[in-house]
Amino acid sequence: MDETHGYCPVFHRAVELIGRRWNGPIIRALLDGADRFGEIRSRIPGLTDRLLAQRLRELEREGVVERASSFATTVPHYTLTTKGHSLAPVIESIAQWAAAWEPTGSDPVGAGTPDRRRPVRAS
């Protein structure tokens, strides 16, 4: 870590991976038990087939997701690797943060200004 500026390229790479659009929800769906392409897609409104396939391939290249298919069916299923499962507390922490700071029915991600955000829970 560059102590003079607080920049760590390893941290930056990790944040970019889980923060890339759709990756967080895909990982969360897999943590919640979804394992088929259609099941993952149905849990994430607005995610297209093309983007889901692209993100799953990316997560597979990064060692977070594993794609497998059996002889009994040609439909592949996806599972989290050990590396992927280790993201569970990170994803849960983000979910807790979002529940506390993002009001239900808020603007889509990136809309509005940060100063409009107020904690949902009393301090």
Side-chain angles (χ1 to χ4, degrees):
M1 178 177 207
D2 181 350
E3 296 299 327
T4 59
H5 296 97
Y7 178 78
C8 174
V10 175
F11 173 82
H12 186 144
R13 182 166 152 66
V15 167
E16 290 292 318
L17 176 65
I18 62 171
R20 185 173 171 121
R21 187 164 188 176
W22 305 113
N23 282 358
I26 291 167
I27 294 167
R28 188 163 190 192
L30 289 163
L31 284 166
D32 289 343
D35 68 347
R36 305 281 184 194
F37 189 92
E39 187 179 8
I40 297 166
R41 188 189 61 237
S42 71
R43 292 185 185 203
I44 307 170
L47 178 58
T48 65
D49 288 354
R50 185 181 70 77
L51 275 172
L52 176 56
Q54 182 181 9
R55 294 301 188 257
L56 285 168
R57 281 192 302 272
E58 175 184 321
L59 291 168
E60 187 177 4
R61 277 192 311 272
E62 294 293 335
V64 173
V65 171
E66 194 170 65
R67 181 181 187 266
S69 51
S70 66
F71 291 113
T73 178
T74 59
V75 179
H77 64 275
Y78 299 87
T79 58
L80 290 168
T81 62
T82 301
K83 180 179 179 179
H85 277 289
S86 71
L87 286 168
V90 175
I91 298 297
E92 182 55 33
S93 291
I94 293 170
Q96 289 174 3
W97 179 86
W101 289 93
E102 295 296 320
T104 304
S106 67
D107 295 335
V109 175
T113 57
D115 60 313
R116 290 187 339 164
R117 307 290 183 192
R118 300 287 183 258
V120 176
R121 299 186 183 126
S123 310

